[in-house]
Amino acid sequence: QVQVVESGGGLVQAGGSLRLSCTVSGLAFDAYVMGWFRQAPGKEREGVSCINWSGRTTYYADSVKGRFTISRDNAKNTLYLQMNSLKPEDTAMYYCAAKRYWNVNDVFEISEVNYWGQGTQVTVSS
């Protein structure tokens, strides 16, 4: 049984930092592209960042580029998202996602996600 569990969310003031973690079990972690998505109330789920199987290739949404850093530790089956210079518009539920393929045309294609976590809430106050 595959389990995808996020942690690290919370309430932070604008300009602050948070580090999200996602621990995966029940699958070959290093065979999956991993990503972070987020969904704010009343909005569609959107891609934040993705990282390829080895961790050598990363991709970021324009809205977080330069502020967020994605990384993975394949030995620990864990994905991370370091979020710095947080803004109120970063407030959302953040979801960890696992997918088999890196789609060069749309790395954030939601229909290609094989497994989702339950989400962790990030709230940034102004």
Side-chain angles (χ1 to χ4, degrees):
Q1 182 181 354
V2 176
Q3 288 191 315
V4 180
V5 181
E6 302 97 333
S7 62
L11 173 63
V12 64
Q13 287 189 330
S17 298
L18 283 174
R19 188 193 196 203
L20 305 184
S21 298
C22 170
T23 301
V24 180
S25 61
L27 57 73
F29 183 73
D30 58 2
Y32 283 79
V33 172
M34 297 299 299
W36 290 98
F37 291 74
R38 66 186 182 187
Q39 188 167 17
K43 294 188 176 181
E44 293 186 351
R45 192 169 296 191
E46 63 176 4
V48 174
S49 183
C50 278
I51 188 167
N52 77 338
W53 310 268
S54 68
R56 292 193 182 97
T57 300
T58 58
Y59 187 86
Y60 297 91
D62 287 343
S63 58
V64 306
K65 206 171 291 184
R67 300 187 298 123
F68 290 10
T69 302
I70 192 171
S71 62
R72 65 190 295 164
D73 186 335
N74 286 346
K76 295 182 178 179
N77 285 13
T78 302
L79 175 73
Y80 303 99
L81 185 68
Q82 177 67 43
M83 304 186 296
N84 298 328
S85 302
L86 282 161
K87 305 175 181 180
E89 50 264 44
D90 294 318
T91 295
M93 186 72 79
Y94 282 70
Y95 296 92
C96 178
K99 47 190 273 184
R100 289 302 306 272
Y101 304 106
W102 184 279
N103 185 336
V104 296
N105 295 312
D106 186 359
V107 70
F108 293 139
E109 174 55 54
I110 286 179
S111 66
E112 294 177 351
V113 173
N114 299 104
Y115 302 100
W116 292 99
Q118 82 290 345
T120 185
Q121 178 67 39
V122 171
T123 303
V124 184
S125 62
S126 57

